[in-house]
Amino acid sequence: MAAKKPKERDYYFDNAKFILIFLVVFGHLLQTFIAEYENVRILYLYIYTFHMPAFILMSGYFAKGFRKKGYLSKTIKKLILPYLIFQLIYSIFYYFLLGEDSLSLKILDPEWSMWFLLSLCFWNLMLYLFARFSAKKGLVIAFSLGLLAGYFDMIGGYLSLSRTFVFFPFFLVGFFMTKEHFKLLQTRSAKLVGMLVTLLILGFIILNPEMNEDWFLGSKPYDKLVDVKSLGMLIRLAVYGISFLSVFAFFTFVPKRRLFFTKWGKNTLYVYLLHGFFIKTFREDSAFGANYSLQTFVILLGVSFCLTILLSSSLVTTFVQPVIELRISRLRTLFSRLKEKLLPNQSY
């Protein structure tokens, strides 16, 4: 009997993940300059309309096997344990970097980018309820929760509750999407529509550069974002529209074939968890408070790309795997290869 051919990875999604994690790094570097430079702010706002929502949508798409035996326990181990470990690591890091008087460890209040791990765990748990509904009913409820959450001041950064409710519609849309839906986004006509949508969104941002970027972060209640609280739902509804259009436009541009960066697309979690140490150090360094210029933009672009590749590389993932994945398979492979080279088998 012929051996079963191993399933080939889908280059399309690996390409999408690499591009998105690069934009996460780049966006965090740009944030230093958005208060003083309007052109930087426009680019920053555009990136934030889709980069995390697209990540979340893909997470939902790949959560279809949540009913499989062991899925829940595996997901909790994969998300919650690294969350706890990096909460501690980042707390220690901030203590030394920022020179705080005391070491503060807030388990239930995510440090910076750690919110994604906590929310992703909640989204997977919520599937056990929402997968029982039809796509239409489930999405109506999910959007309603996201819109109503802003009216409750208690729903904020604690336990990442605000982002969990606000971004859940993206996760659920991804869960209900099929491979055929993504194929439609790869057609020539979809690419043309995607280009038009992108230009319209960029035009809207250019005309409204003063818009509060926190709307796209989904982390605060309405009273922190707008003076007239009753308008919060309408604004968030508009933000949903912009983000979903921007997300689907992004997917029309993602290349399908294998490219030089495709292989790094499977290691995005490493970049996401580790790049904060570099970003926070960058922001604390007063030398980077200099005037922004085209040269600065090019440097930031290059640094973001190189940092993304470095943190995705086999060198980094091999030695950090025990902390992030709680496994040592990469180290075992490395030691096996070294052993073969240093102590080759000899016949007597």
Side-chain angles (χ1 to χ4, degrees):
M1 182 183 292
K4 187 177 180 180
K5 186 178 180 181
K7 186 177 180 181
E8 189 178 67
R9 287 186 69 91
D10 193 325
Y11 300 146
Y12 176 78
F13 291 109
D14 280 341
N15 288 337
K17 288 191 289 183
F18 180 85
I19 295 169
L20 289 171
I21 199 63
F22 159 72
L23 290 175
V24 168
V25 177
F26 186 48
H28 283 153
L29 285 174
L30 285 178
Q31 189 178 2
T32 306
F33 306 96
I34 62 173
E36 297 181 27
Y37 300 93
E38 187 174 292
N39 59 334
V40 181
R41 182 175 180 80
I42 289 169
L43 178 59
Y44 176 86
L45 284 170
Y46 171 65
I47 290 173
Y48 272 73
T49 62
F50 71 90
H51 73 338
M52 285 310 297
F55 250 130
I56 295 165
L57 187 143
M58 279 195 294
S59 298
Y61 176 74
F62 287 109
K64 289 179 170 56
F66 76 99
R67 289 192 179 95
K68 292 181 179 179
K69 184 179 179 180
Y71 179 90
L72 182 59
S73 59
K74 182 179 178 182
T75 299
I76 292 175
K77 179 182 177 181
K78 181 181 178 181
L79 298 174
I80 297 302
L81 291 180
Y83 168 79
L84 295 173
I85 291 170
F86 274 85
Q87 277 286 100
L88 174 60
I89 293 174
Y90 269 107
S91 296
I92 295 172
F93 177 70
Y94 292 157
Y95 173 73
F96 287 104
L97 177 68
L98 304 178
E100 296 178 351
D101 296 331
S102 61
L103 180 63
S104 176
L105 178 60
K106 302 174 183 177
I107 297 297
L108 302 181
D109 195 1
E111 294 282 2
W112 198 42
S113 59
M114 294 301 101
W115 70 267
F116 181 68
L117 296 182
L118 202 54
S119 289
L120 186 54
C121 184
F122 286 138
W123 295 326
N124 277 276
L125 289 172
M126 291 165 76
L127 280 183
Y128 286 91
L129 172 62
F130 280 81
R132 299 170 183 262
F133 304 138
S134 64
K136 182 178 179 180
K137 183 177 180 180
L139 289 172
V140 167
I141 297 173
F143 276 108
S144 298
L145 289 173
L147 293 170
L148 292 172
Y151 288 113
F152 298 90
D153 294 344
M154 67 185 72
I155 300 179
Y158 184 75
L159 279 175
S160 189
L161 288 178
S162 181
R163 281 169 163 144
T164 295
F165 288 120
V166 172
F167 287 125
F168 182 58
F170 294 96
F171 186 86
L172 198 58
V173 166
F175 175 76
F176 285 123
M177 285 183 71
T178 65
K179 195 170 185 178
E180 285 65 37
H181 289 130
F182 281 101
K183 285 184 177 179
L184 286 175
L185 293 173
Q186 298 169 34
T187 61
R188 182 176 179 82
S189 57
K191 293 180 186 296
L192 293 174
V193 174
M195 187 177 298
L196 176 61
V197 167
T198 300
L199 291 174
L200 289 174
I201 292 174
L202 278 171
F204 175 77
I205 295 173
I206 289 171
L207 294 174
N208 300 277
E210 74 287 346
M211 63 191 300
N212 190 341
E213 68 274 10
D214 286 346
W215 281 106
F216 295 102
L217 301 181
S219 59
K220 297 179 180 178
Y222 293 145
D223 64 353
K224 303 288 185 182
L225 299 170
V226 64
D227 294 331
V228 183
K229 196 174 180 179
S230 58
L231 294 177
M233 183 180 290
L234 293 177
I235 298 174
R236 178 158 288 166
L237 190 60
V239 169
Y240 272 140
I242 292 171
S243 287
F244 270 104
L245 287 172
S246 192
V247 166
F248 290 123
F250 164 75
F251 281 118
T252 66
F253 300 131
V254 176
K256 295 183 290 184
R257 67 184 187 279
R258 183 182 179 88
L259 299 170
F260 74 95
F261 57 77
T262 304
K263 62 182 179 181
W264 294 307
K266 63 181 181 294
N267 295 327
T268 52
L269 182 60
Y270 286 82
V271 183
Y272 189 80
L273 292 176
L274 297 174
H275 82 286
F277 298 110
F278 298 88
I279 300 299
K280 289 295 186 179
T281 303
F282 171 85
R283 291 178 182 175
E284 289 300 313
D285 192 334
S286 59
F288 289 101
N291 292 334
Y292 180 88
S293 64
L294 179 60
Q295 184 181 10
T296 309
F297 174 82
V298 173
I299 292 173
L300 292 180
L301 200 66
V303 168
S304 301
F305 192 72
C306 291
L307 185 58
T308 304
I309 291 176
L310 172 65
L311 299 181
S312 306
S313 68
S314 58
L315 175 65
V316 171
T317 57
T318 296
F319 290 100
V320 184
Q321 186 193 33
V323 180
I324 292 181
E325 297 185 47
L326 306 178
R327 296 192 297 141
I328 58 171
S329 58
R330 295 174 187 264
L331 281 172
R332 283 176 177 167
T333 301
L334 175 63
F335 290 145
S336 296
R337 290 175 179 174
L338 289 174
K339 186 177 179 180
E340 288 177 2
K341 290 182 178 180
L342 298 175
L343 300 171
N345 292 329
Q346 298 180 12
S347 56
Y348 294 94

